[in-house]
Structures are given as structure tokens and as C-alpha cells.
Amino acid sequence: MIIAITNQKGGVGKTTTAINLAAGLATKGMTTLLVDLDPQANSTMSNIDLADVNENMFDVLQGSVNLESVIAPSTAHENLWIAPARIAMAKLEVFLSSEIDGPYRLRDVFDQPTRHFDAVIIDTPPTLGLITVNALVAASHVLIPIQSSYFALEGTDDLLETIDKIKARANTELQILGVLITMFDRRTVLARQVFAEINEVFGDLVFDTMITKSVRLEESPAHRTSIFEHAPASSGAAEYYGLCEEVLQRVGSNNNGRGED
Ligand code: ATP
Ligand code: MG
């Protein structure tokens, strides 16, 4: 399974979800690759020292090196590997837009022989540009984090339209794995309203697991590791573990993705 974590809205919990879903699956014994396509490189920094990153996904998508040569083992978790990003990733949009195979580069990269991964998690930037399109074309599933806040659903129409366009032609097997409510604050009326609204729009697609707003998750990036290492007894760790279980259940029950690569 290849899961793209996507929402073009900024700051909704994509990177936090990518880091912790990948770490959780690795903890469960799955050989997992976290592919960082976010120019902010936070997924990378949570797993390896940025100073050690030389060649990265930018070079891979430009075609100058192969995926295998940028993959590094996470220093935070066993079974977890990272395909790092560097800040220069933003320039990649410009490059990809001038290439005839611009939207298909990541899929072609995954089609090349490389070691086996049980799960691939892709963190994407907050745009619907070609980097995100590459993730959606290469993925078997897309997971959409939605922040529990005012205007939570703003922009989801555009995202769903993009997914539909990609499903129509470039990647007919792409499935929406689910919608994850993030930064939920049980105490507020607003959160409950937003919850009802998201459920009305997405119905069964909404994961039963919700990620509540927590200081532990908020500070987790500063500790350069996952919530499982940083605060294993926290609610955030329990919730992201719950998400892993639900993801595996859903993938298992609609197992017609692009196979295990
Ligand atoms: P971008 O669109 O900029 O890439 P993103 O969608 O990847 O953002 P994150 O970086 O995961 O979002 O989260 C945005 C901010 O919210 C970060 O500072 C993160 O630490 C914080 N955050 C994420 N999840 C939670 C949570 N459940 N509770 C509290 N803070 C959170
Ligand atoms: Mg991010």
C-alpha cells in the first residue's frame, strides 16, 4: 500500500499524521518507507539529521539519482526508512511543469526495482501542484486530514475534484482511504459542530479515530521523533496507534490497491 497524506490546506496535520502513521506501522513490524515531499522537510527532520541529507527526493524526481540511493534508515524507529526532502523542493514544481512526464515521475520511480516495503507513506505539501499530483498518481490510497476548526471543509471540493480527475485517467485504482479529523477539542461546541459537518459530507469515510488537540503532539516535532517515542503514554500516541489499526483494517477490506511495493 502506498498512502498519500493530502490536503492542500496548510497546517491541518498532514506531516504529524505522516510521521506517526509511518512510525506506528513500523512499530507494528511493517517495513515502512516515509517519503517526504514537503519542502519544509519536517518528516525528514523527525527521522534523521538534516545535516546528513545530501541527495534527496528532489534529485530523485529530477531523475538524477535513483530512490534506493536516497533512502536512509530512521534513527528514531526500527523498520522505518525515510526518503528525505530538502528545502529546495519548491523549485521542483517549476521543473516538473516543464517535463512531459511531470505528473508521473514518482510512480515511475516506484515502478523501478527497489527493496520491498510493506507500507509507503507520502507526506505532501500544502498545494495541489505537481508535487502533490505526483503523490496521488503514485498512491494506492489517499488519506485526508481535516483540522477541526472554522472553515474546516474549505478547499475540500477542489481536493476531491483533483482526486476524481486523477482517478479518471492517471490512476484509476486510487481510493480515498479515509478522512481524519485532527486537532479535535472535545470541550468546544465549535468542534462538535465541525465534527457533525464533516460527518455529513464524508459519512463512512471519516475514521472512527479522531486526533485530539494535545500539547504532546504539538511539541513532538521539536523532539525530532514520533509521538510513540516522545510520549508513548499520551492520548496522541493511543490515537495514532488507533489510526494505524483502522488503516490496516480498511486496506485489508478493500485490498485492490497497487499491491505491496
Ligand atoms: P503544512 O501544510 O504546513 O505542511 P501540515 O498539514 O503538515 O502543515 P502539521 O505540520 O502536521 O500540519 O501541523 C501543523 C502544526 O500543528 C504543527 O505545529 C504541529 O505540531 C501542530 N499539531 C499537529 N497536530 C496537532 C494536534 N493533534 N494537537 C496539537 N497540535 C498539533
Ligand atoms: Mg506538512
Side-chain angles (χ1 to χ4, degrees), residues 6 8 128 132-133 136 142 144 153 155-171 174 176 202:
T6 304
Q8 80 278 22
L128 285 176
T132 297
V133 167
L136 293 173
V142 51
I144 306 171
L153 291 166
T156 47
D157 283 355
D158 291 341
L159 175 58
L160 294 177
E161 198 183 310
T162 301
I163 291 171
D164 278 346
K165 275 188 193 156
I166 287 171
K167 277 177 74 161
R169 206 173 289 173
N171 183 3
L174 181 65
I176 299 179
F202 288 102

PDB file of all heavy atoms in Angstrom, residues 6 8 128 132-133 136 142 144 153 155-171 174 176 202:
ATOM      1  N   THR A   6      -2.810  13.882   2.162  1.00  0.00           N
ATOM      2  CA  THR A   6      -3.001  15.068   1.332  1.00  0.00           C
ATOM      3  C   THR A   6      -4.160  15.957   1.775  1.00  0.00           C
ATOM      4  O   THR A   6      -5.242  15.470   2.103  1.00  0.00           O
ATOM      5  CB  THR A   6      -3.258  14.626  -0.135  1.00  0.00           C
ATOM      6  OG1 THR A   6      -2.176  13.810  -0.562  1.00  0.00           O
ATOM      7  CG2 THR A   6      -3.344  15.823  -1.055  1.00  0.00           C
ATOM      8  N   GLN A   8      -4.608  20.309   0.583  1.00  0.00           N
ATOM      9  CA  GLN A   8      -3.829  21.481   0.166  1.00  0.00           C
ATOM     10  C   GLN A   8      -3.920  22.614   1.177  1.00  0.00           C
ATOM     11  O   GLN A   8      -3.233  23.621   1.057  1.00  0.00           O
ATOM     12  CB  GLN A   8      -4.256  21.942  -1.231  1.00  0.00           C
ATOM     13  CG  GLN A   8      -5.507  22.764  -1.307  1.00  0.00           C
ATOM     14  CD  GLN A   8      -6.762  21.920  -1.285  1.00  0.00           C
ATOM     15  OE1 GLN A   8      -6.783  20.782  -0.827  1.00  0.00           O
ATOM     16  NE2 GLN A   8      -7.853  22.476  -1.800  1.00  0.00           N
ATOM     17  N   LEU A 128      -2.026  22.045  -4.445  1.00  0.00           N
ATOM     18  CA  LEU A 128      -2.479  20.985  -5.361  1.00  0.00           C
ATOM     19  C   LEU A 128      -1.615  20.996  -6.618  1.00  0.00           C
ATOM     20  O   LEU A 128      -2.043  20.613  -7.690  1.00  0.00           O
ATOM     21  CB  LEU A 128      -3.958  21.180  -5.712  1.00  0.00           C
ATOM     22  CG  LEU A 128      -4.949  20.801  -4.607  1.00  0.00           C
ATOM     23  CD1 LEU A 128      -6.378  21.138  -5.028  1.00  0.00           C
ATOM     24  CD2 LEU A 128      -4.837  19.319  -4.257  1.00  0.00           C
ATOM     25  N   THR A 132       2.133  17.323  -5.326  1.00  0.00           N
ATOM     26  CA  THR A 132       1.001  16.593  -4.758  1.00  0.00           C
ATOM     27  C   THR A 132       0.379  15.666  -5.806  1.00  0.00           C
ATOM     28  O   THR A 132       0.031  14.519  -5.504  1.00  0.00           O
ATOM     29  CB  THR A 132      -0.044  17.596  -4.214  1.00  0.00           C
ATOM     30  OG1 THR A 132       0.571  18.329  -3.153  1.00  0.00           O
ATOM     31  CG2 THR A 132      -1.270  16.890  -3.687  1.00  0.00           C
ATOM     32  N   VAL A 133       0.267  16.144  -7.021  1.00  0.00           N
ATOM     33  CA  VAL A 133      -0.279  15.308  -8.093  1.00  0.00           C
ATOM     34  C   VAL A 133       0.592  14.048  -8.276  1.00  0.00           C
ATOM     35  O   VAL A 133       0.077  12.943  -8.437  1.00  0.00           O
ATOM     36  CB  VAL A 133      -0.403  16.107  -9.415  1.00  0.00           C
ATOM     37  CG1 VAL A 133      -0.650  15.194 -10.600  1.00  0.00           C
ATOM     38  CG2 VAL A 133      -1.531  17.130  -9.288  1.00  0.00           C
ATOM     39  N   LEU A 136      -0.411  11.598  -5.680  1.00  0.00           N
ATOM     40  CA  LEU A 136      -1.724  10.991  -5.934  1.00  0.00           C
ATOM     41  C   LEU A 136      -1.690  10.013  -7.109  1.00  0.00           C
ATOM     42  O   LEU A 136      -2.425   9.032  -7.132  1.00  0.00           O
ATOM     43  CB  LEU A 136      -2.777  12.083  -6.175  1.00  0.00           C
ATOM     44  CG  LEU A 136      -3.099  12.961  -4.954  1.00  0.00           C
ATOM     45  CD1 LEU A 136      -4.018  14.114  -5.350  1.00  0.00           C
ATOM     46  CD2 LEU A 136      -3.745  12.133  -3.845  1.00  0.00           C
ATOM     47  N   VAL A 142      -5.436   7.564  -0.650  1.00  0.00           N
ATOM     48  CA  VAL A 142      -5.181   8.900  -0.127  1.00  0.00           C
ATOM     49  C   VAL A 142      -5.900   9.037   1.216  1.00  0.00           C
ATOM     50  O   VAL A 142      -7.033   8.584   1.375  1.00  0.00           O
ATOM     51  CB  VAL A 142      -5.585  10.010  -1.146  1.00  0.00           C
ATOM     52  CG1 VAL A 142      -6.990   9.828  -1.660  1.00  0.00           C
ATOM     53  CG2 VAL A 142      -5.418  11.407  -0.547  1.00  0.00           C
ATOM     54  N   ILE A 144      -7.004  11.893   3.978  1.00  0.00           N
ATOM     55  CA  ILE A 144      -7.210  13.342   4.045  1.00  0.00           C
ATOM     56  C   ILE A 144      -7.381  13.792   5.500  1.00  0.00           C
ATOM     57  O   ILE A 144      -8.410  13.523   6.115  1.00  0.00           O
ATOM     58  CB  ILE A 144      -8.472  13.745   3.236  1.00  0.00           C
ATOM     59  CG1 ILE A 144      -8.398  13.212   1.802  1.00  0.00           C
ATOM     60  CG2 ILE A 144      -8.662  15.262   3.256  1.00  0.00           C
ATOM     61  CD1 ILE A 144      -9.695  13.381   1.003  1.00  0.00           C
ATOM     62  N   LEU A 153     -13.830  22.621   6.098  1.00  0.00           N
ATOM     63  CA  LEU A 153     -14.082  21.970   4.801  1.00  0.00           C
ATOM     64  C   LEU A 153     -13.729  22.854   3.615  1.00  0.00           C
ATOM     65  O   LEU A 153     -13.905  22.457   2.469  1.00  0.00           O
ATOM     66  CB  LEU A 153     -15.550  21.540   4.714  1.00  0.00           C
ATOM     67  CG  LEU A 153     -15.888  20.387   5.682  1.00  0.00           C
ATOM     68  CD1 LEU A 153     -17.388  20.217   5.814  1.00  0.00           C
ATOM     69  CD2 LEU A 153     -15.244  19.101   5.194  1.00  0.00           C
ATOM     70  N   GLY A 155     -11.985  24.251   0.685  1.00  0.00           N
ATOM     71  CA  GLY A 155     -10.965  23.684  -0.204  1.00  0.00           C
ATOM     72  C   GLY A 155     -11.119  22.191  -0.460  1.00  0.00           C
ATOM     73  O   GLY A 155     -10.482  21.654  -1.357  1.00  0.00           O
ATOM     74  N   THR A 156     -11.969  21.509   0.322  1.00  0.00           N
ATOM     75  CA  THR A 156     -12.063  20.060   0.087  1.00  0.00           C
ATOM     76  C   THR A 156     -12.702  19.755  -1.267  1.00  0.00           C
ATOM     77  O   THR A 156     -12.406  18.725  -1.869  1.00  0.00           O
ATOM     78  CB  THR A 156     -12.821  19.319   1.215  1.00  0.00           C
ATOM     79  OG1 THR A 156     -14.006  20.015   1.503  1.00  0.00           O
ATOM     80  CG2 THR A 156     -11.972  19.191   2.455  1.00  0.00           C
ATOM     81  N   ASP A 157     -13.575  20.664  -1.762  1.00  0.00           N
ATOM     82  CA  ASP A 157     -14.162  20.451  -3.096  1.00  0.00           C
ATOM     83  C   ASP A 157     -13.066  20.366  -4.159  1.00  0.00           C
ATOM     84  O   ASP A 157     -13.088  19.493  -5.027  1.00  0.00           O
ATOM     85  CB  ASP A 157     -15.095  21.602  -3.472  1.00  0.00           C
ATOM     86  CG  ASP A 157     -16.427  21.482  -2.761  1.00  0.00           C
ATOM     87  OD1 ASP A 157     -16.629  20.461  -2.062  1.00  0.00           O
ATOM     88  OD2 ASP A 157     -17.239  22.410  -2.887  1.00  0.00           O
ATOM     89  N   ASP A 158     -12.119  21.293  -4.064  1.00  0.00           N
ATOM     90  CA  ASP A 158     -11.016  21.301  -5.040  1.00  0.00           C
ATOM     91  C   ASP A 158     -10.189  20.026  -4.927  1.00  0.00           C
ATOM     92  O   ASP A 158      -9.771  19.440  -5.928  1.00  0.00           O
ATOM     93  CB  ASP A 158     -10.089  22.500  -4.799  1.00  0.00           C
ATOM     94  CG  ASP A 158     -10.771  23.808  -5.152  1.00  0.00           C
ATOM     95  OD1 ASP A 158     -11.778  23.763  -5.891  1.00  0.00           O
ATOM     96  OD2 ASP A 158     -10.301  24.862  -4.688  1.00  0.00           O
ATOM     97  N   LEU A 159      -9.959  19.609  -3.683  1.00  0.00           N
ATOM     98  CA  LEU A 159      -9.173  18.388  -3.468  1.00  0.00           C
ATOM     99  C   LEU A 159      -9.898  17.179  -4.061  1.00  0.00           C
ATOM    100  O   LEU A 159      -9.305  16.376  -4.789  1.00  0.00           O
ATOM    101  CB  LEU A 159      -8.918  18.188  -1.971  1.00  0.00           C
ATOM    102  CG  LEU A 159      -8.216  16.890  -1.574  1.00  0.00           C
ATOM    103  CD1 LEU A 159      -6.866  16.770  -2.262  1.00  0.00           C
ATOM    104  CD2 LEU A 159      -8.038  16.812  -0.056  1.00  0.00           C
ATOM    105  N   LEU A 160     -11.199  17.074  -3.780  1.00  0.00           N
ATOM    106  CA  LEU A 160     -11.958  15.925  -4.288  1.00  0.00           C
ATOM    107  C   LEU A 160     -12.019  15.951  -5.816  1.00  0.00           C
ATOM    108  O   LEU A 160     -11.975  14.911  -6.468  1.00  0.00           O
ATOM    109  CB  LEU A 160     -13.376  15.915  -3.692  1.00  0.00           C
ATOM    110  CG  LEU A 160     -13.419  15.687  -2.175  1.00  0.00           C
ATOM    111  CD1 LEU A 160     -14.845  15.771  -1.655  1.00  0.00           C
ATOM    112  CD2 LEU A 160     -12.794  14.350  -1.800  1.00  0.00           C
ATOM    113  N   GLU A 161     -12.094  17.157  -6.380  1.00  0.00           N
ATOM    114  CA  GLU A 161     -12.118  17.281  -7.835  1.00  0.00           C
ATOM    115  C   GLU A 161     -10.791  16.809  -8.435  1.00  0.00           C
ATOM    116  O   GLU A 161     -10.764  16.094  -9.443  1.00  0.00           O
ATOM    117  CB  GLU A 161     -12.368  18.752  -8.186  1.00  0.00           C
ATOM    118  CG  GLU A 161     -12.847  18.965  -9.604  1.00  0.00           C
ATOM    119  CD  GLU A 161     -12.991  20.458  -9.895  1.00  0.00           C
ATOM    120  OE1 GLU A 161     -13.627  21.173  -9.092  1.00  0.00           O
ATOM    121  OE2 GLU A 161     -12.439  20.887 -10.933  1.00  0.00           O
ATOM    122  N   THR A 162      -9.692  17.196  -7.781  1.00  0.00           N
ATOM    123  CA  THR A 162      -8.376  16.748  -8.242  1.00  0.00           C
ATOM    124  C   THR A 162      -8.268  15.227  -8.160  1.00  0.00           C
ATOM    125  O   THR A 162      -7.798  14.567  -9.101  1.00  0.00           O
ATOM    126  CB  THR A 162      -7.252  17.400  -7.388  1.00  0.00           C
ATOM    127  OG1 THR A 162      -7.369  18.809  -7.509  1.00  0.00           O
ATOM    128  CG2 THR A 162      -5.873  16.965  -7.848  1.00  0.00           C
ATOM    129  N   ILE A 163      -8.730  14.659  -7.040  1.00  0.00           N
ATOM    130  CA  ILE A 163      -8.680  13.202  -6.872  1.00  0.00           C
ATOM    131  C   ILE A 163      -9.508  12.529  -7.970  1.00  0.00           C
ATOM    132  O   ILE A 163      -9.070  11.548  -8.578  1.00  0.00           O
ATOM    133  CB  ILE A 163      -9.174  12.806  -5.456  1.00  0.00           C
ATOM    134  CG1 ILE A 163      -8.160  13.278  -4.404  1.00  0.00           C
ATOM    135  CG2 ILE A 163      -9.404  11.298  -5.357  1.00  0.00           C
ATOM    136  CD1 ILE A 163      -8.631  13.140  -2.962  1.00  0.00           C
ATOM    137  N   ASP A 164     -10.695  13.069  -8.238  1.00  0.00           N
ATOM    138  CA  ASP A 164     -11.557  12.490  -9.285  1.00  0.00           C
ATOM    139  C   ASP A 164     -10.889  12.540 -10.653  1.00  0.00           C
ATOM    140  O   ASP A 164     -10.958  11.584 -11.425  1.00  0.00           O
ATOM    141  CB  ASP A 164     -12.894  13.238  -9.353  1.00  0.00           C
ATOM    142  CG  ASP A 164     -13.857  12.724  -8.282  1.00  0.00           C
ATOM    143  OD1 ASP A 164     -13.584  11.644  -7.709  1.00  0.00           O
ATOM    144  OD2 ASP A 164     -14.853  13.416  -8.015  1.00  0.00           O
ATOM    145  N   LYS A 165     -10.234  13.649 -10.941  1.00  0.00           N
ATOM    146  CA  LYS A 165      -9.557  13.782 -12.249  1.00  0.00           C
ATOM    147  C   LYS A 165      -8.451  12.744 -12.369  1.00  0.00           C
ATOM    148  O   LYS A 165      -8.257  12.136 -13.422  1.00  0.00           O
ATOM    149  CB  LYS A 165      -8.949  15.178 -12.383  1.00  0.00           C
ATOM    150  CG  LYS A 165      -9.926  16.211 -12.880  1.00  0.00           C
ATOM    151  CD  LYS A 165      -9.189  17.514 -13.161  1.00  0.00           C
ATOM    152  CE  LYS A 165     -10.183  18.653 -13.354  1.00  0.00           C
ATOM    153  NZ  LYS A 165      -9.598  19.961 -13.067  1.00  0.00           N
ATOM    154  N   ILE A 166      -7.710  12.560 -11.282  1.00  0.00           N
ATOM    155  CA  ILE A 166      -6.606  11.591 -11.312  1.00  0.00           C
ATOM    156  C   ILE A 166      -7.149  10.176 -11.437  1.00  0.00           C
ATOM    157  O   ILE A 166      -6.620   9.351 -12.179  1.00  0.00           O
ATOM    158  CB  ILE A 166      -5.707  11.785 -10.073  1.00  0.00           C
ATOM    159  CG1 ILE A 166      -4.894  13.074 -10.270  1.00  0.00           C
ATOM    160  CG2 ILE A 166      -4.780  10.590  -9.865  1.00  0.00           C
ATOM    161  CD1 ILE A 166      -4.128  13.552  -9.086  1.00  0.00           C
ATOM    162  N   LYS A 167      -8.265   9.911 -10.733  1.00  0.00           N
ATOM    163  CA  LYS A 167      -8.888   8.583 -10.824  1.00  0.00           C
ATOM    164  C   LYS A 167      -9.425   8.294 -12.224  1.00  0.00           C
ATOM    165  O   LYS A 167      -9.466   7.152 -12.664  1.00  0.00           O
ATOM    166  CB  LYS A 167     -10.048   8.487  -9.833  1.00  0.00           C
ATOM    167  CG  LYS A 167      -9.610   8.134  -8.440  1.00  0.00           C
ATOM    168  CD  LYS A 167     -10.775   8.130  -7.497  1.00  0.00           C
ATOM    169  CE  LYS A 167     -11.662   6.912  -7.698  1.00  0.00           C
ATOM    170  NZ  LYS A 167     -12.519   6.690  -6.504  1.00  0.00           N
ATOM    171  N   ALA A 168      -9.849   9.362 -12.898  1.00  0.00           N
ATOM    172  CA  ALA A 168     -10.452   9.179 -14.224  1.00  0.00           C
ATOM    173  C   ALA A 168      -9.436   8.709 -15.247  1.00  0.00           C
ATOM    174  O   ALA A 168      -9.765   8.010 -16.195  1.00  0.00           O
ATOM    175  CB  ALA A 168     -11.096  10.483 -14.685  1.00  0.00           C
ATOM    176  N   ARG A 169      -8.174   9.047 -15.061  1.00  0.00           N
ATOM    177  CA  ARG A 169      -7.205   8.729 -16.098  1.00  0.00           C
ATOM    178  C   ARG A 169      -5.862   8.224 -15.576  1.00  0.00           C
ATOM    179  O   ARG A 169      -5.517   7.065 -15.775  1.00  0.00           O
ATOM    180  CB  ARG A 169      -6.975   9.976 -16.962  1.00  0.00           C
ATOM    181  CG  ARG A 169      -6.523   9.624 -18.350  1.00  0.00           C
ATOM    182  CD  ARG A 169      -6.466  10.820 -19.249  1.00  0.00           C
ATOM    183  NE  ARG A 169      -7.784  11.335 -19.604  1.00  0.00           N
ATOM    184  CZ  ARG A 169      -7.973  12.464 -20.282  1.00  0.00           C
ATOM    185  NH1 ARG A 169      -6.946  13.190 -20.635  1.00  0.00           N
ATOM    186  NH2 ARG A 169      -9.177  12.874 -20.582  1.00  0.00           N
ATOM    187  N   ALA A 170      -5.161   9.078 -14.843  1.00  0.00           N
ATOM    188  CA  ALA A 170      -3.767   8.752 -14.498  1.00  0.00           C
ATOM    189  C   ALA A 170      -3.633   7.615 -13.493  1.00  0.00           C
ATOM    190  O   ALA A 170      -2.650   6.875 -13.525  1.00  0.00           O
ATOM    191  CB  ALA A 170      -3.071  10.004 -13.949  1.00  0.00           C
ATOM    192  N   ASN A 171      -4.618   7.472 -12.602  1.00  0.00           N
ATOM    193  CA  ASN A 171      -4.515   6.430 -11.571  1.00  0.00           C
ATOM    194  C   ASN A 171      -5.927   5.950 -11.213  1.00  0.00           C
ATOM    195  O   ASN A 171      -6.525   6.400 -10.237  1.00  0.00           O
ATOM    196  CB  ASN A 171      -3.791   6.984 -10.329  1.00  0.00           C
ATOM    197  CG  ASN A 171      -3.585   5.939  -9.255  1.00  0.00           C
ATOM    198  OD1 ASN A 171      -3.927   4.770  -9.439  1.00  0.00           O
ATOM    199  ND2 ASN A 171      -3.040   6.348  -8.130  1.00  0.00           N
ATOM    200  N   LEU A 174      -6.795   4.595  -7.577  1.00  0.00           N
ATOM    201  CA  LEU A 174      -6.689   5.423  -6.374  1.00  0.00           C
ATOM    202  C   LEU A 174      -7.989   5.391  -5.572  1.00  0.00           C
ATOM    203  O   LEU A 174      -9.072   5.534  -6.122  1.00  0.00           O
ATOM    204  CB  LEU A 174      -6.373   6.875  -6.778  1.00  0.00           C
ATOM    205  CG  LEU A 174      -6.213   7.880  -5.640  1.00  0.00           C
ATOM    206  CD1 LEU A 174      -5.010   7.547  -4.768  1.00  0.00           C
ATOM    207  CD2 LEU A 174      -6.094   9.295  -6.186  1.00  0.00           C
ATOM    208  N   ILE A 176      -9.924   6.769  -1.847  1.00  0.00           N
ATOM    209  CA  ILE A 176      -9.856   7.579  -0.626  1.00  0.00           C
ATOM    210  C   ILE A 176      -9.949   6.609   0.543  1.00  0.00           C
ATOM    211  O   ILE A 176     -10.956   5.938   0.729  1.00  0.00           O
ATOM    212  CB  ILE A 176     -10.990   8.620  -0.567  1.00  0.00           C
ATOM    213  CG1 ILE A 176     -10.886   9.587  -1.768  1.00  0.00           C
ATOM    214  CG2 ILE A 176     -10.928   9.388   0.754  1.00  0.00           C
ATOM    215  CD1 ILE A 176     -11.972  10.649  -1.816  1.00  0.00           C
ATOM    216  N   PHE A 202     -18.746  13.536   4.547  1.00  0.00           N
ATOM    217  CA  PHE A 202     -17.917  12.375   4.206  1.00  0.00           C
ATOM    218  C   PHE A 202     -18.446  11.031   4.712  1.00  0.00           C
ATOM    219  O   PHE A 202     -17.943   9.980   4.304  1.00  0.00           O
ATOM    220  CB  PHE A 202     -16.480  12.590   4.700  1.00  0.00           C
ATOM    221  CG  PHE A 202     -15.723  13.613   3.902  1.00  0.00           C
ATOM    222  CD1 PHE A 202     -15.537  14.894   4.382  1.00  0.00           C
ATOM    223  CD2 PHE A 202     -15.211  13.294   2.649  1.00  0.00           C
ATOM    224  CE1 PHE A 202     -14.847  15.848   3.642  1.00  0.00           C
ATOM    225  CE2 PHE A 202     -14.520  14.227   1.898  1.00  0.00           C
ATOM    226  CZ  PHE A 202     -14.340  15.513   2.395  1.00  0.00           C
TER     227      PHE A 202
END
